[in-house]
Every structure is written in C-alpha cells, then in structure tokens.
Amino acid sequence: MEVCKLHAGSTRKYSVVNRLSSQPAQRKSNRRSARCLGVCLALLVWLGTYDDPTAWTAELPPGFSQVSGRHIDVITDMPLSDDLRELTRVFDAAVPGWCAAFALDEAKVADWHVEAFVMLERQRFIDAGFLPEPISHFANGFQYGDRLWVMEQASAYYLRHLLLHEGTHWVMTRKYGKMGPPWLMEGMAEWLGTHRWDGQKLTMGIIPQTREEVPYWGRIKLIQQELTDGVAPSLETILRYSDSAHLQQEAYAWSWAAIIFLKNHPDTSATFAKLLGQPMQGRDDANRWLFGQLKNKWPQLRLEWNATLTELEYGYDPSRSQLALSRTLRPLQSPQRIEVDAARSWQATGISVQAGTKVNIVAEGEFVVGGEPKPWPCFPDGVTLEYYRGQPLGKLQLAIVQPIAKEPDFSLPINAISVGAGGEFTMPQSGELQFRINETSGGLADNSGTISITVSP
C-alpha cells in the first residue's frame, strides 16, 4: 500500500499514516515511489490555493450520518454502530492527554473543534464535497487544518488508533504552528495513537502487552524483524528522516521507536522534554538543536539505543529495561562481588575487561521468576520448564559493552552470553561487564530476589 506525505516549506499541510499489518513489510519499488511523489507535487499546487472553508455543507446528504462530541463531529457513510458512536468519547477523552503531552492549558483548548470523516467508500465523500479530489489519494488517514479523514479499518482498535494519530497531528499543528522534524511529528502521533480503551477510560502512549491488544498495528514485529535481518536503521538515520521518508511503511515504526527511547532513557529524557517544550522550528533547526544538546553523548547513546531495540517487544517496560553505562570503570584486577536484581534487565558492574582475557564467574542464590499462576523458585541456571530466546527462563546472562565511537550503518542487537552458575569465559571484546537474567522485559515486574556473583581475573 502506498503512503503519500507532503510538506510545504515548514508549514504542515497534511499527514498520511499507513496501516502496518502484522505481515513483514514489503519494500516499495522506485517506480511506485516516483508515482506517489508525482501525486504529492500535484497536491502541493492544490494546497497552495485551498482556502479551508469554515463549513462543507449546511445539511448532510442522504446516506451520511453524524455524531458529535465536545471537540469533534464524526461524519460517516456507515450506519452508526456502537464503535462509531464511541469515537467521539474516545476523542474527547484524548484532549487532556494531548494537553499533558504538549503542555497546553485545557482552558485554552476548550473551544477547539475538529471534523472527522470516517469513510467506507471514498468516492461518496468526494461526490458529496466532503473530500476534495486532489487530497483523496491517501491510504488510511489524513489531516488538514481542523479536518481529519480516516478510512474504515478491519478492527475497532485500529480505527481509533488512526483517529488519535491524526488528532495528534491536529493538536501539534495548532500548538507549534510550523512543521517539526518528520520523525518527531510522526513518532509522537504513533506514540499517542497507541492506546488502551475500556469503554470509559482512555490511556494514551502505551507499549502494548500483547499483539492481540492492538490488532493490525504491527510496529513491534516489524522492528524485531528488521533488527534480526540486520537492516535496522541507526538512531541518527531516523532523526535525519527527510520529508519523503514516510513514503515507506517502516518509517512509522522506527519513528515510534525513537520516541520510546528518547522519552524514557535517563540520558535523553530531559533533553526530549525540553524539545517538546520549546517553540517548534523547522526540521533542520530543531534537529540541529537536538544533535547539539546530545553531541557529547552519542557514543553511549548508540549502544543504549541498540539495547533498547533488543528488548523492545510486547510488554516492554522502560523503567526496568534501560541499559546504561557506568560513569567510571575499574579494571578487573582482583575478585569482585556483585548483586544482580532479578526484577531488572541489564545491570552495570563498573568492571572493565579487555578482549581475549579470561574471567572466572561464580553465581549463586535463589530468586523467584513470575507470580502467576504460581511463583517459580529459580537458580542461576534457570528453569527448563520454559525457554526464552533459546535459553532457559531465568538463566544468568553476561554482556560486554562499550560506547560506539562512529555512527554505524545499521543498529545491531546486544550479544548476550549465557553464564548460568558460572565457569571460565574468554572475553570476546573489551568493555564493561553487565549482567541480567534471561527473561522478556514485560516479565520482570513480578520477579523478586537477587543473584550473588563473584567475578575474578
């Protein structure tokens, strides 16, 4: 499916988000992208003359229905089902979340209002004058001014996701006025579009616990597949995305991943918050500011980004899974004793080793993995009743990590070495020793206990 994206100067004219299916993404051909760019150029001409009328029509034509909320009118060519009726409640419930995300005064946005067209048959909206033909070639969603268009989807979740995604673009346009970097605009829309709705309460900006919670979303599967295939982009590549980057489906997933990292990692979270809090400049100015703020951290950030991608699965918990390097290191010259918390992922030791040296590791202690249906007592060799990534659940693991001095062509997963109860290990590279138990990020919260480790040269 094609995705078209257009920016005129620094003013955001419209956005398009394409559904990422649960199937592996297919690369677009050059010919197909060129055709899409031709459409975008035609839209640029049209948008330059569009006067954004205050009302499309006084009355709805036959075959259309409308349901309204405080901040939104939903107009559709489908019968008003419960799922469609609740879109207004979902959208209104999102406004406080948008205000919190972008430091907006709720009183200031009290009179903000948008029209959203939820479409089964695109041509009906064109014929009725609700959808100007020059902007009708988007795949699934589109925002211009105070109007949104979204296509009907195969799941109620993904229809809400699209509406919240385009609604985020609407709020960011009204907040910042000018277009920010593509990775930020699309990443924030993806972040706040990913949600949990129980019929009464809306939670935005979630990391889904399971694939079933977000049908037809597919971002995590795409990220893990490209990481496995060795084609995951570097963080700098994502931050340098051009205005045409989101012609490719993958760019939405990677922009979302960049938000997850920058928003949550302790080495970047304050800088990211400051970026959102200042007036939004053009892509180059905003990126220049961000790169400047992080210029002394890039070697460690490249490593920490790789670690985040390695852990970024359903249920990912940023509070427990952020690898960070120690500020100072000490060489391993005598036996060192370390405690590893079973409820956290990679844990820094402050111990540095050199490639080719031999290290003796002894691990002992009993800890608990999981709480439901019942706790599993566990030792450093793990429990063979369940496996994760080919190794027993709970087995002690080691990584040797160091800053990455030069921007890599691609991001790579962290290499985890199975240690278990210990033994003698030859260090494959120089760096800092880090330990964790073998478990998915989402499974760490209900663990308890520690492992005592002695590391000797």
Side-chain angles (χ1 to χ4, degrees):
M1 299 178 69
E2 289 180 309
V3 183
C4 294
K5 187 78 177 163
L6 174 65
H7 308 294
S10 60
T11 301
R12 186 178 192 280
K13 291 294 188 181
Y14 76 97
S15 73
V16 178
V17 60
N18 186 73
R19 183 181 76 188
L20 292 175
S21 71
S22 58
Q23 300 300 317
Q26 299 297 315
R27 297 286 184 180
K28 305 295 186 296
S29 68
N30 291 335
R31 184 175 181 180
R32 202 172 177 191
S33 295
R35 184 169 66 249
C36 192
L37 285 170
V39 172
C40 290
L41 290 174
L43 294 182
L44 178 58
V45 175
W46 179 84
L47 287 169
T49 61
Y50 179 50
D51 60 3
D52 194 15
T54 57
W56 292 99
T57 182
E59 296 181 359
L60 289 177
F64 290 88
S65 301
Q66 178 175 321
V67 59
S68 298
R70 179 180 180 183
H71 294 279
I72 187 171
D73 296 322
V74 173
I75 299 170
T76 183
D77 60 339
M78 296 179 286
L80 287 177
S81 64
D82 290 343
D83 287 340
L84 287 172
R85 290 181 185 277
E86 75 174 2
L87 289 179
T88 58
R89 293 194 291 123
V90 171
F91 196 91
D92 286 345
V95 172
W98 283 321
C99 288
F102 301 112
L104 291 167
D105 185 347
E106 289 194 41
K108 182 178 179 180
V109 306
D111 61 347
W112 287 13
H113 202 85
V114 70
E115 286 181 313
F117 300 92
V118 179
M119 307 185 297
L120 179 63
E121 296 292 341
R122 191 184 309 250
Q123 191 61 45
R124 294 175 186 169
F125 289 80
I126 296 173
D127 294 343
F130 291 140
L131 175 60
E133 198 281 333
I135 62 171
S136 64
H137 303 285
F138 56 87
N140 281 285
F142 181 105
Q143 176 262 332
Y144 176 67
D146 291 335
R147 291 180 176 85
L148 316 176
W149 293 264
V150 293
M151 296 300 300
E152 167 67 338
Q153 297 297 316
S155 74
Y157 168 81
Y158 202 75
L159 181 60
R160 295 193 303 268
H161 177 94
L162 286 174
L163 185 66
L164 293 173
H165 179 111
E166 298 303 335
T168 302
H169 283 313
W170 169 65
V171 171
M172 293 184 77
T173 299
R174 298 202 65 163
K175 158 75 175 180
Y176 299 112
K178 293 183 177 182
M179 176 65 183
W183 69 268
L184 179 65
M185 304 300 283
E186 295 301 341
M188 287 301 296
E190 279 296 294
W191 166 246
L192 293 171
T194 308
H195 68 281
R196 189 172 292 118
W197 169 251
D198 64 5
Q200 298 294 327
K201 180 181 178 181
L202 176 70
T203 305
M204 303 165 70
I206 69 163
I207 298 174
Q209 294 297 304
T210 65
R211 174 180 171 179
E212 290 71 28
E213 188 178 15
V214 287
Y216 295 93
W217 182 67
R219 275 54 166 172
I220 287 175
K221 182 173 182 179
L222 186 151
I223 288 168
Q224 290 303 317
Q225 185 62 56
E226 293 206 344
L227 189 63
T228 300
D229 293 345
V231 294
S234 69
L235 180 59
E236 290 112 308
T237 294
I238 297 167
L239 300 189
R240 290 193 297 260
Y241 274 164
S242 69
D243 290 344
S244 62
H246 292 82
L247 293 170
Q248 303 293 332
Q249 294 180 357
E250 296 88 341
Y252 291 98
W254 289 114
S255 297
W256 173 79
I259 298 295
I260 297 292
F261 176 73
L262 294 170
K263 183 178 185 300
N264 291 290
H265 200 283
D267 288 335
T268 58
S269 58
T271 301
F272 181 73
K274 189 174 180 180
L275 175 67
L276 289 182
Q278 63 188 11
M280 193 60 61
Q281 304 298 319
R283 181 192 72 232
D284 293 338
D285 290 341
N287 271 352
R288 189 177 298 113
W289 179 88
L290 182 64
F291 275 91
Q293 292 292 308
L294 300 176
K295 64 181 179 180
N296 295 326
K297 296 182 178 180
W298 276 110
Q300 69 194 59
L301 291 182
R302 294 178 187 121
L303 170 69
E304 292 162 354
W305 163 253
N306 285 351
T308 293
L309 295 185
T310 306
E311 304 283 319
L312 189 52
E313 299 178 320
Y314 288 104
Y316 175 73
D317 184 350
S319 68
R320 298 176 182 274
S321 304
Q322 298 285 3
L323 183 149
L325 293 168
S326 298
R327 292 184 179 273
T328 59
L329 296 175
R330 61 187 185 278
L332 182 62
Q333 297 176 338
S334 61
Q336 303 287 317
R337 193 164 180 83
I338 305 152
E339 297 290 322
V340 172
D341 186 350
R344 292 175 51 214
S345 187
W346 292 114
Q347 296 161 58
T349 65
I351 299 171
S352 67
V353 294
Q354 298 299 312
T357 60
K358 293 183 178 181
V359 172
N360 188 67
I361 299 175
V362 177
E364 55 189 4
E366 182 178 347
F367 55 99
V368 173
V369 173
E372 297 294 339
K374 64 179 182 179
W376 282 357
C378 191
F379 296 90
D381 278 330
V383 290
T384 55
L385 293 174
E386 186 171 332
Y387 279 69
Y388 173 64
R389 293 185 174 178
Q391 294 291 327
L393 182 69
K395 190 173 184 178
L396 183 65
Q397 294 185 319
L398 163 71
I400 303 100
V401 296
Q402 60 182 336
I404 302 173
K406 181 181 177 181
E407 179 183 353
D409 292 330
F410 299 103
S411 298
L412 297 172
I414 297 296
N415 180 34
I417 301 170
S418 291
V419 171
E424 187 176 272
F425 300 86
T426 300
M427 300 294 97
Q429 66 182 56
S430 301
E432 179 182 3
L433 299 183
Q434 302 230 359
F435 289 96
R436 71 168 185 186
I437 68 164
N438 181 44
E439 186 169 17
T440 177
S441 171
L444 294 172
D446 57 2
N447 295 350
S448 61
T450 61
I451 300 175
S452 295
I453 304 171
T454 301
V455 183
S456 305

